[in-house]
Amino acid sequence: MIKENVCLASLNYYKIGGTARYLAQPSSLEDLNYISQFTFQNQLPFLFLGAGSNILFDDQGFNGIVIQTLNLSRTIQYQPELECLEVTCSTKVIEALRFCMSHGLEGLELLVGIPGSMGGVFFMNAGTHLGEIKDILFELTTFDLKTGATRNIAKTQMDFAYRSQRFLKPSELIVSGKVKRAPVFVRKLGL
């Protein structure tokens, strides 16, 4: 789960960057707890990473631990009673869009063309000319690397700006988010 001396270029879309001292690829909250203990016992600087689509790594490398979330559970659940979609951080944007298309759900169109994972979308308030994720996001679940605690954050506690947020602690990793969704009436065209 924790590897040493990993080439950062292999972890991002632009294929640049030196070596990370450590790379952790957790697959569960238990793994995150272990990584948390390892990180703070060794007093390591840390960096959260998703799909690596919006990051440039320095050629000098990173003398700390990179925590890549792509091995965490990729889950998308539609909750019709709440008219919401719950999406985990490791889910790629294209996977969420395909799920919505195949289930007749609208709303995530504002993410069409955006690469990466949903954790990054939530963290940086991603969007297009159609809107930003903050427009439809109403709850986030996070894991605090420093304390090992999870927390649910309601929309009223969120403070987003253009491609950024001002409410997460530096040690908090987004685990999942809930967005408002509504079923689309699909009709067949008589061609």
Side-chain angles (χ1 to χ4, degrees), residues 134-148:
K134 72 173 178 65
D135 300 333
I136 59 173
L137 182 63
F138 74 93
E139 184 178 278
L140 285 173
T141 301
T142 64
F143 174 86
D144 192 326
L145 194 67
K146 194 171 187 178
T147 66

Side-chain angles (χ1 to χ4, degrees), residues 17-81:
T19 300
R21 183 172 174 194
Y22 297 104
L23 170 68
Q25 296 173 308
S27 58
S28 66
L29 286 179
E30 291 78 23
D31 288 352
L32 282 171
N33 275 310
Y34 174 79
I35 293 164
S36 171
Q37 292 170 15
F38 178 84
T39 300
F40 288 98
Q41 284 174 357
N42 293 290
Q43 300 177 347
L44 295 169
F46 58 88
L47 171 73
F48 296 125
L49 178 68
S53 63
N54 194 31
I55 192 164
L56 298 173
F57 286 116
D58 192 316
D59 288 337
Q60 298 295 314
F62 182 65
N63 190 25
I65 185 166
V66 174
I67 302 165
Q68 188 177 40
T69 61
L70 290 182
N71 287 345
L72 291 172
S73 172
R74 289 185 184 176
T75 307
I76 307 170
Q77 293 180 335
Y78 179 58
Q79 300 171 355
E81 67 282 358

Side-chain angles (χ1 to χ4, degrees), residues 72-185:
L72 291 172
S73 172
R74 289 185 184 176
T75 307
I76 307 170
Q77 293 180 335
Y78 179 58
Q79 300 171 355
E81 67 282 358
L82 299 175
E83 291 187 349
C84 81
L85 194 65
E86 183 171 11
V87 186
T88 56
C89 69
S90 59
T91 303
K92 295 217 174 145
V93 174
I94 191 66
E95 293 169 338
L97 290 169
R98 286 181 179 146
F99 179 91
C100 288
M101 286 173 45
S102 67
H103 289 81
L105 303 172
E106 67 179 357
L108 285 186
E109 308 81 37
L110 60 94
L111 299 180
V112 170
I114 295 176
S117 63
M118 291 301 294
V121 165
F122 298 141
F123 179 80
M124 67 170 288
N125 188 28
T128 62
H129 69 283
L130 297 174
E132 298 172 308
I133 198 67
K134 72 173 178 65
D135 300 333
I136 59 173
L137 182 63
F138 74 93
E139 184 178 278
L140 285 173
T141 301
T142 64
F143 174 86
D144 192 326
L145 194 67
K146 194 171 187 178
T147 66
T150 58
R151 127 175 124 120
N152 291 329
I153 304 169
K155 187 170 189 79
T156 55
Q157 300 170 292
M158 297 178 197
D159 183 16
F160 283 105
Y162 180 76
R163 301 300 172 258
S164 65
Q165 53 74 30
R166 298 180 288 245
F167 60 92
L168 292 173
K169 299 174 193 170
S171 58
E172 278 186 302
L173 166 71
I174 296 171
V175 176
S176 67
K178 289 183 180 178
V179 293
K180 280 289 185 186
R181 292 288 44 93
V184 175
F185 175 71

